[in-house]
Amino acid sequence: MFSKNMNRTRAVVVGGGIAGKLAARVLSEFFKEIILIEKDKKDDHITNRKGVPQGNQGHVLLKSGEEIIEELFPGIFQELSRNGAKKTNFARDLLWSHHGTQKIRFDSNVFISQQSRPLLEWQIQQRLEKIPNINFRFECKVQNLKFNNDEMNTIVIEDKNGAVTELLADIVIDASGAAALHNQWLKDSGYKIPTKTEIKVDVFYASMVFKKLSHESINWHSLLAYPNPPDVERGGMISPIEGNRMLVTLIGYGTKELPKDIDSFLEYAASVEQSEFYDVIKNESPLSEDVQIYRFPSLRRYHFEKLRNFPSGLLIIGDAFCRVDPVFAQGMSLAAMEAKALRELLMQGLNKKQLTKNYHKKVSRILDIPWLIALTEDFRFRTTSGRKPIGLPILQWYVKSVVTACSHNEHVYSRFIQVLHLKSHPISLAHPGILAKVFKTTK
Ligand SMILES: Cc1cc2nc3c(=O)[nH]c(=O)nc-3n(C[C@H](O)[C@H](O)[C@H](O)COP(=O)(O)OP(=O)(O)OC[C@H]3O[C@@H](n4cnc5c(N)ncnc54)[C@H](O)[C@@H]3O)c2cc1C
């Protein structure tokens, strides 16, 4: 049981995506009142929201994120499963081609919950609405923040009718996602904005929903055809979502011509290296009429931890802090890990200044490894540009050796899964026992 300290008065969360929702849940233990401000209107059913344009693309929740969300909302994954989410065995039920090899399949002890992102968000929202000290202001936009003596003090909000109100707040969490509203707020008040690292990847996603696929070759629940860079820049994934449906997503790096209808969607699918990807959908009709496209130009990470003069009480979470390449499915789990870090620091009873500083430092450390994992892979593509990590050729060489071993060694693949799900540090892949297996030539 976590201790509670209700001396603090009001916290405001800006943005009601996954990061904002998890932050609100954490804050509800420590503040008398939490106000969550969201520019979209309140959903009365499970749907993709305008403010989350990536929501209709494939979203896999890693184990690290699942565990934290379950800890914050006990029983939520049972509720999800009652609403159609599918529990799958990661190593057994996923057909995964990776760098020209196929992952060995076996009964692992890692089970994940597969559902659409709108269902996951909706289920979290249902739980938040039961927490008495969380209030919602939908269809409201934050115009600005006001600071007093380097402390966050007032938040200026505009509602859907254009009425502007001011709210006093002890802390504000910026969970505005790609909008990264903090930049404008800081600029407007004369603060230095944080430096940022940007890596251009030019990834696109294109998704369509199909009914359950019936091809006779299917003995899996999900399929992931990761591109095989540098030569093959195209890939795709097929994953189960509620309603007994399959979400089929195409991905590509540096692609100029994007699929825009079912014909060009199938044409693109046929060019994916793993032929089963196309085979299982070619004779099926999609349930969705349109191809949903999302372009992700670059990974972006702000360095709040390096700022000296940062106003106390403004904390950044989720994509507003860092956007990693979505292909690695880390974003929602990072938001969960950051929410957990916030909780741990709030439990220490720090003052506002210490909380702000320690939180941004802690989040920055959380981001280091996922960021490195993404960059190691992204720099295999010819179109990626930006500052490369130190030791990149060695990292890429070793990861590729591990990936190859995952095609025939359950032990190596199990360890790889732990790293992929952000449950273990990648250094665990350099353990002597793993090294020996990676470099064992006989299978
Ligand atoms: C194509 C794609 C695929 C992805 N796949 C995965 C995946 O498989 N697994 C995974 O874990 N992650 C994935 N992600 C990442 C994931 O979507 C996010 O990292 C994660 O949801 C955290 O987002 P967030 O809550 O910070 O921001 P968002 O989900 O973008 O939410 C931001 C919220 O802020 C609101 N907002 C914005 N401006 C204002 C304003 N002025 N006032 C009030 N509200 C405002 C928006 O309406 C929105 O509700 C993917 C991302 C993309 C782009």
Side-chain angles (χ1 to χ4, degrees):
M1 194 63 206
F2 293 94
S3 68
K4 305 205 186 284
N5 173 2
M6 283 288 185
N7 295 332
R8 303 170 177 103
T9 310
R10 180 187 283 154
V12 173
V13 178
V14 183
I18 300 280
K21 283 180 167 57
L22 299 181
R25 161 63 189 85
V26 162
L27 294 166
S28 71
E29 290 177 36
F30 301 93
F31 286 80
K32 289 195 177 102
E33 183 188 21
I34 291 84
I35 299 180
L36 193 154
I37 298 168
E38 168 55 50
K39 67 177 179 163
D40 276 352
K41 63 178 178 7
K42 184 176 177 343
D43 291 330
D44 51 10
H45 62 289
I46 302 160
T47 181
N48 196 47
R49 296 193 284 113
K50 205 168 147 219
V52 183
Q54 75 272 30
N56 45 21
Q57 306 294 340
H59 267 67
V60 173
L61 179 64
L62 301 180
K63 205 65 204 166
S64 47
E66 181 186 313
E67 285 174 2
I68 296 169
I69 294 173
E70 178 65 24
E71 194 184 333
L72 293 174
F73 304 99
I76 194 166
F77 285 93
Q78 273 177 11
E79 291 168 3
L80 278 161
S81 136
R82 281 198 290 277
N83 281 324
K86 200 166 191 76
K87 200 166 190 170
T88 60
N89 184 308
F90 192 82
R92 186 193 61 205
D93 297 332
L94 171 66
L95 181 71
W96 182 0
S97 61
H98 197 181
H99 294 318
T101 63
Q102 195 80 45
K103 294 270 185 288
I104 188 170
R105 290 174 62 196
F106 65 100
D107 256 314
S108 64
N109 55 6
V110 178
F111 288 85
I112 60 164
S113 173
Q114 295 194 266
Q115 60 279 310
S116 70
R117 150 124 191 192
L119 173 60
L120 178 62
E121 247 205 77
W122 185 83
Q123 203 77 59
I124 296 175
Q125 177 69 23
Q126 302 313 298
R127 295 293 288 264
L128 282 187
E129 286 175 15
K130 294 197 173 104
I131 302 176
N133 59 338
I134 302 183
N135 296 309
F136 301 91
R137 302 240 180 133
F138 289 101
E139 296 182 84
C140 285
K141 275 188 194 163
V142 174
Q143 277 192 347
N144 215 338
L145 298 194
K146 290 184 183 169
F147 304 93
N148 191 2
N149 291 330
D150 284 344
E151 272 201 20
M152 160 59 228
N153 182 261
T154 306
I155 180 155
V156 186
I157 307 163
E158 186 188 340
D159 73 14
K160 64 172 173 177
N161 303 315
V164 176
T165 44
E166 293 196 348
L167 270 179
L168 287 175
D170 291 310
I171 70 167
V172 166
I173 308 276
D174 180 6
S176 62
L181 294 175
H182 52 78
N183 248 27
Q184 197 56 46
W185 299 336
L186 290 170
K187 251 192 238 162
D188 288 350
S189 295
Y191 285 100
K192 242 180 141 173
I193 56 165
T195 53
K196 75 174 166 187
T197 309
E198 215 167 348
I199 308 293
K200 290 207 168 21
V201 281
D202 193 16
V203 179
F204 89 90
Y205 270 55
S207 289
M208 294 191 92
V209 178
F210 286 71
K211 68 175 185 333
K212 199 170 187 302
L213 305 173
S214 56
H215 196 271
E216 78 261 3
S217 70
I218 296 179
N219 61 2
W220 39 264
H221 287 299
S222 313
L223 182 153
L224 173 57
Y226 185 75
N228 192 2
D231 298 326
V232 183
E233 291 153 341
R234 296 172 171 213
M237 43 204 166
I238 303 178
S239 34
I241 56 170
E242 64 281 0
N244 232 355
R245 297 168 301 159
M246 299 301 259
L247 186 58
V248 180
T249 299
L250 304 170
I251 53 172
Y253 286 77
T255 311
K256 298 275 175 290
E257 287 280 306
L258 305 189
K260 39 187 178 312
D261 51 29
I262 180 65
D263 293 336
S264 47
F265 191 88
L266 288 175
E267 200 180 303
Y268 191 98
S271 68
V272 169
E273 195 178 53
Q274 190 184 21
S275 56
E276 187 155 356
F277 183 79
Y278 173 63
D279 290 343
V280 298
I281 59 168
K282 67 182 177 202
N283 295 321
E284 305 277 353
S285 318
L287 296 170
S288 49
E289 282 175 15
D290 301 324
V291 181
Q292 300 292 335
I293 302 277
Y294 192 97
R295 291 201 87 130
F296 184 90
S298 44
L299 289 79
R300 178 194 73 186
R301 178 176 177 180
Y302 287 103
H303 296 283
F304 296 99
E305 71 286 358
K306 291 191 180 152
L307 278 178
R308 292 233 166 132
N309 185 22
F310 192 77
S312 307
L314 170 60
L315 280 69
I316 324 296
I317 193 166
D319 283 15
F321 201 127
C322 176
R323 296 189 88 199
V324 271
D325 182 342
V327 173
F328 302 100
Q330 298 167 331
M332 297 189 293
S333 296
L334 287 175
M337 289 159 87
E338 291 159 14
K340 186 177 174 190
L342 175 64
R343 183 192 224 181
E344 285 163 3
L345 291 170
L346 282 166
M347 283 171 69
Q348 289 174 20
L350 304 172
N351 67 35
K352 237 198 270 191
K353 193 171 177 173
Q354 288 167 329
L355 173 72
T356 310
K357 198 170 158 206
N358 293 5
Y359 169 80
H360 290 134
K361 277 200 169 144
K362 200 165 174 156
V363 170
S364 182
R365 280 199 299 273
I366 289 172
L367 294 172
D368 283 342
I369 292 300
W371 180 260
L372 184 64
I373 290 174
L375 261 53
T376 302
E377 291 308 298
D378 283 345
F379 274 109
R380 295 186 196 274
F381 294 92
R382 293 192 187 98
T383 42
T384 302
S385 64
R387 194 158 152 212
K388 294 183 177 171
I390 295 165
L392 182 66
I394 296 171
L395 285 171
Q396 289 181 328
W397 164 77
Y398 188 63
V399 171
K400 202 157 185 169
S401 309
V402 170
V403 165
T404 305
C406 289
S407 66
H408 54 83
N409 190 300
E410 290 179 10
H411 197 76
V412 176
Y413 187 27
S414 294
R415 193 65 68 92
F416 183 74
I417 289 173
Q418 293 300 315
V419 173
L420 184 89
H421 281 266
L422 306 178
K423 294 277 299 158
S424 294
H425 193 284
I427 199 77
S428 64
L429 288 167
H431 184 276
I434 297 289
L435 276 169
K437 290 182 175 71
V438 168
F439 295 115
K440 196 172 164 195
T441 45
T442 47
K443 295 182 185 178

